[in-house]
Amino acid sequence: MAIDHDLLSMQEARDLADAAYQAQLIWKHATQEEVDRVCAAMADAAYIASAQLGQMAYDETGFGIPAHKRMKNELGSLVVWESIKDIKTVGVIHHDPERRIYDIAWPVGVIAALVPSTNPTSTAMYKSISAVKARDAIVIAPHPSAAHCTFETVRTMAAAAEKAGAPKNLISCLQHISLSGTQELLKHKRVRLILATGGSAMVKAAHSIGKPAYGVGPGNVPVYVDRSADIEKAARYIVNSKSFDCSTICASEQSVIADKPIAPKLKQLMITNGAHFANEEQTERLRKLLFHPNGAINTVTVGKPAQTVAGMAGFSIPQSARVIVTPLHIVGKDEPLSREKLTTVLGWYEEDGWEAGCERSIELIMFGGRGHSLVIHATNEDVIMAFGLEKPVFRVLVNTMGTLGAVGLTTGLMPSMTLGAGGEGGSITGDNVNVHHLYNVKRLAYETTPPPQAALRGPAPASAAATNVQDIESLVKQVVQEIIKQSKS
């Protein structure tokens, strides 16, 4: 007898959501000590399995580099836990004695979490640890092309959590993946919050459900290199950042904007660090390979080494090359390579002066990266601050790698694999989404000021003309009698 896969997926989604709800009813009464013990166990288990799960993610998706996936897993587990372990999430979390207000943490409930194929294991780790820290339950919906590695990641953490005292089904993952099943999960009455990381279509679908949702989609991150920059450092960082896990982190640099006086030197240093600058013919081949006519990315190119991408496009590059750089002149639909490129291809623009670089950066941001991130290499603090004040993004990363800086590994930002794009990008927050976004805060507020005397007085007596009820009743009776008399005649 044939089994309908969609129905099976939908039933699994219902079962997991109901089971998560029952587990969360227990977990919401956990003490801070119990919460932290369970989260620490989850983080340790995921960290220990980082290499194995990174390899599994590579084997299943074909994206990126296993060693880099291991680093992302270590970030999603131990680094994330270290950043939130001392945060109070149970009971009174803050007291303002002067204003006489107590802040009390209150869990959201059941979270439905969408996980992308580009970062399937690290995202599942970070979301699960953050949710459990907030005393929520979480049900993970993997991307179909990364279902096995995501499930194994969740299974590893769930086993550690239960061993440390968490109720069964607090952390779970869909195994039968379908669009119908994922939609059933998102719409389920027990789900209180959606945490979506992935492509534009996925994020739009999450926002359309009608529930609170943290939806984070693509970025189109420009990197501006000013004449005041440490050019050698900028070249080294850009090539390493763009090639990190073959550019599968949404904050990886997408286009270099080189200040004209230093452009030749930057180009040469990038070549030294492993950049191959494409000629016109190669660039045209890449335009046709990377994107479909409607602007959608060709997924077979996602997360591939530079040699593989070049081979797909019909040309060869040196084995030492780590990224392919394409000289560009315009931004928009007429230049496909000015879009976000989730692979080892990097745009190149030259502009004279930081003001022109600023304008080009804004063009790129508005073409698919609103609200996300920007990287600047400079030592001129006035230029740095001008970029910080003017750009419509919520992460301006200074003299660091875009990939690792945005997720909080090389900067003071909160470690996260979900990077908010704020109102500019259609997100509810511009923050790096973390545990603070996964619990509510209720406030116990005492009186600090007595009410005004006017608020304690009753209404003034109304005028006799306005309140003569007997006169009104008499008038109504006369009208009614007149109507009855007319109807009989």
Side-chain angles (χ1 to χ4, degrees), residues 184 228 270 301 307 331 489:
E184 189 71 18
S228 70
M270 286 179 63
T301 67
Q307 288 76 19
V331 175
S489 60

Side-chain angles (χ1 to χ4, degrees), residues 17-29:
D18 283 328
Y21 173 72
Q22 295 301 324
Q24 200 274 326
L25 290 179
I26 299 170
W27 190 238
K28 71 179 183 180
H29 297 295

Side-chain angles (χ1 to χ4, degrees), residues 285-312:
R285 286 174 177 267
L286 289 168
R287 286 188 183 103
K288 294 177 179 178
L289 170 69
L290 261 61
F291 295 96
H292 298 297
N294 65 356
I297 194 167
N298 181 358
T299 56
V300 301
T301 67
V302 172
K304 296 297 188 292
Q307 288 76 19
T308 303
V309 175
M312 289 178 178

Side-chain angles (χ1 to χ4, degrees), residues 95-164:
H95 174 218
D96 185 336
E98 185 175 342
R99 296 171 62 213
R100 301 193 70 193
I101 290 178
Y102 289 87
D103 291 354
I104 300 170
W106 194 259
V108 168
V110 177
I111 295 174
L114 305 181
V115 171
S117 57
T118 47
N119 305 294
T121 53
S122 53
T123 304
M125 291 175 184
Y126 129 79
K127 288 186 176 182
S128 298
I129 294 168
S130 300
V132 172
K133 173 73 171 177
R135 289 186 296 157
D136 298 319
I138 186 167
V139 182
I140 302 283
H143 191 281
S145 66
H148 183 57
C149 64
T150 304
F151 176 78
E152 183 60 23
T153 301
V154 175
R155 187 201 64 76
T156 299
M157 289 186 294
E162 289 173 32
K163 188 175 180 180

Side-chain angles (χ1 to χ4, degrees), residues 155-385:
R155 187 201 64 76
T156 299
M157 289 186 294
E162 289 173 32
K163 188 175 180 180
K168 188 176 178 60
N169 300 316
L170 190 67
I171 312 139
S172 57
C173 180
L174 290 172
Q175 293 186 72
H176 304 285
I177 315 301
S178 75
L179 179 60
S180 299
T182 299
Q183 289 176 334
E184 189 71 18
L185 174 65
L186 301 184
K187 295 176 181 178
H188 197 278
K189 65 181 181 180
R190 298 303 187 190
V191 169
R192 290 290 180 264
L193 178 70
I194 299 169
L195 188 53
T197 312
S200 299
M202 175 196 285
V203 172
K204 186 176 180 180
H207 279 136
S208 69
I209 297 298
K211 296 184 178 185
Y214 291 108
V216 180
N220 191 21
V221 180
V223 50
Y224 172 68
V225 185
D226 186 60
R227 62 190 67 187
S228 70
D230 180 336
I231 310 301
E232 189 282 326
K233 178 182 177 182
R236 178 163 41 91
Y237 274 22
I238 291 168
V239 173
N240 280 281
S241 185
K242 182 60 178 174
S243 60
F244 183 83
D245 205 31
C246 295
S247 193
T248 52
I249 288 183
C250 58
S252 64
E253 294 84 344
Q254 299 299 327
S255 295
V256 178
I257 303 162
D259 199 358
K260 234 175 180 46
I262 56 88
K265 182 179 179 181
L266 178 63
K267 177 179 178 179
Q268 190 54 54
L269 286 168
M270 286 179 63
I271 292 170
T272 301
N273 280 276
H276 169 79
F277 276 72
N279 59 32
E280 280 296 327
E281 180 187 353
Q282 293 169 344
T283 298
E284 182 58 29
R285 286 174 177 267
L286 289 168
R287 286 188 183 103
K288 294 177 179 178
L289 170 69
L290 261 61
F291 295 96
H292 298 297
N294 65 356
I297 194 167
N298 181 358
T299 56
V300 301
T301 67
V302 172
K304 296 297 188 292
Q307 288 76 19
T308 303
V309 175
M312 289 178 178
F315 62 91
S316 61
I317 59 174
Q319 282 300 115
S320 59
R322 300 165 64 199
V323 298
I324 304 171
V325 184
T326 57
L328 307 175
H329 304 285
I330 62 172
V331 175
K333 292 181 180 179
D334 293 334
E335 179 48 85
L337 294 175
S338 65
R339 297 180 184 274
E340 181 188 42
K341 303 165 286 291
L342 289 174
T343 195
T344 46
V345 176
L346 185 64
W348 174 272
Y349 296 87
E350 294 184 16
E351 303 293 344
D352 194 2
W354 71 264
E355 294 92 342
C358 180
E359 291 304 313
R360 183 65 82 185
S361 296
I362 291 175
E363 274 191 275
L364 288 160
I365 290 164
M366 300 304 281
F367 186 57
R370 294 179 62 168
H372 206 286
S373 306
L374 171 143
V375 185
I376 178 171
H377 289 274
T379 57
N380 185 326
E381 291 296 332
D382 291 337
V383 173
I384 293 170
M385 187 54 66

Side-chain angles (χ1 to χ4, degrees), residues 58-74:
Y58 172 78
D59 292 341
E60 187 172 4
T61 65
F63 297 162
I65 300 168
H68 291 173
K69 292 193 179 298
R70 174 181 180 168
M71 289 178 62
K72 290 196 289 190
N73 287 340
E74 291 171 348

